[in-house]
Amino acid sequence: GASLEALKDVKAVVMDKTGTITRGNFVVQRVCPAEGADIDENELLWLAAACEGASTHPIAKSILAARQTDYPAADSIREQAGEGVEAVIGGKTVLCGNRKLLERHGIDLAGFTGTPGSTEVLLARDGQLLGHIVIADTVKADAKQAMDRMQAQGLTTAMLTGDAQETADAVAHELGIHEVRARLLPEDKLTALTELREKHGAVMFVGDGINDAPVLAGADVGAAMGSGADAAIEAADVVFMNADLSSIPASVQIARGARRISHQNIAFALGVKLLVMVLGLAGIASMWLAVFADSGVAMLCVLNSIRMLYIKTE
Ligand code: ADP
Ligand code: MG
């Protein structure tokens, strides 16, 4: 339908990072109390779990999975999309999220180096940095191959993420992704997409629906990973049946192949009709030739179209 039409003209593929390019199966690697903070590793993880207890974000799940003990109930919890969680625990304000969240609350991060290149969750209580938790995510097995194929198809590749710049750059470098926009809030992702469209032409956005449903709806073609959230599946034009990145170049190849076949059909049908018309004017076309030029040609076009089902996607 209309999406297949739009898909064949796509010039750039813009992808979300977490859950789309990476698996989104975060695992806690290290728990690092800040120098001089009066807290140990266990307590830091315990506090993080208290903040993340109600979140469904893959980061939250990894923290809950890593904790050793039960965690205290928070007095209140507020999740800020693309940043983390603000909680009140035992009457104290606790922040659990990225640098952006802490900076916005005026926490001094001047002396904080953290672990560049990895996804970090920072914790602060009552305006003081307590430490950070290092968590790792892995890129999908077919990511490099899928990026190479998109490049061979002449597509520009881009990645949007709410994660830190260094983490985003490391992934983009590993996979040869052309453009990177990091530290984006969910609403910034739509702005970034609009910029990329102005620069490159029609864009396809691929996401998993966690913090990216508005972008999915705003792209020329919005595609949701089959593993994605329900919101994604509703906002998308295309839904992949699996979580493989190779579905992206495959879908573009199918759309382009379908265009080629429909052009063949139009040329063939008009050609035969024109020929029979000329023969008719010359007085050498039979009734049966005319029937063939109409119904026979239509039949052959249908048969040719069936080839669309056999477009090789490797
Ligand atoms: P992406 O854009 O890579 O798909 P998200 O928009 O879901 O990622 O989140 C962006 C960033 O916001 C994360 O990398 C993380 O730093 C922070 N974040 C979001 N939700 C949480 C949470 N529940 N706990 C801690 N940090 C979070
Ligand atoms: Mg996401």
Side-chain angles (χ1 to χ4, degrees), residues 16 18 52 55 57 59 79 82-84 97-98 161-163 189 211:
D16 184 49
T18 307
E52 301 283 11
S55 171
H57 198 279
I59 289 178
E79 185 156 7
E83 292 189 343
N98 53 25
T161 181
D163 209 342
K189 289 186 182 176
N211 297 339

Side-chain angles (χ1 to χ4, degrees), residues 16-20 22 26 51-52 55-60 63 79-85 96-99 101 119-122 135 160-164 184-186 189 208 210-212:
D16 184 49
K17 181 174 78 71
T18 307
T20 302
T22 66
F26 288 99
C51 295
E52 301 283 11
S55 171
T56 58
H57 198 279
I59 289 178
I63 288 176
E79 185 156 7
Q80 302 287 1
E83 292 189 343
V85 176
C96 175
N98 53 25
R99 286 170 192 249
L101 177 76
T119 298
E120 334 161 300
V121 175
L122 283 64
I135 48 185
L160 306 184
T161 181
D163 209 342
L184 300 173
L185 291 179
K189 289 186 182 176
D208 66 348
I210 297 181
N211 297 339
D212 59 21

Side-chain angles (χ1 to χ4, degrees), residues 33-116:
E35 246 174 82
D38 185 23
I39 193 163
D40 67 10
E41 292 179 18
N42 251 329
E43 210 183 334
L44 197 62
L45 198 55
W46 176 83
L47 205 57
C51 295
E52 301 283 11
S55 171
T56 58
H57 198 279
I59 289 178
K61 289 184 190 159
S62 73
I63 288 176
L64 294 173
R67 83 197 148 82
Q68 308 283 329
T69 53
D70 255 355
Y71 53 88
D75 306 328
S76 77
I77 292 179
R78 199 163 68 194
E79 185 156 7
Q80 302 287 1
E83 292 189 343
V85 176
E86 300 165 359
V88 178
I89 298 166
K92 295 181 173 171
T93 302
V94 180
L95 304 171
C96 175
N98 53 25
R99 286 170 192 249
K100 202 165 186 171
L101 177 76
L102 274 69
E103 279 163 7
R104 207 163 48 73
H105 283 80
I107 312 277
D108 180 16
L109 296 178
F112 176 73
T113 44
T115 314

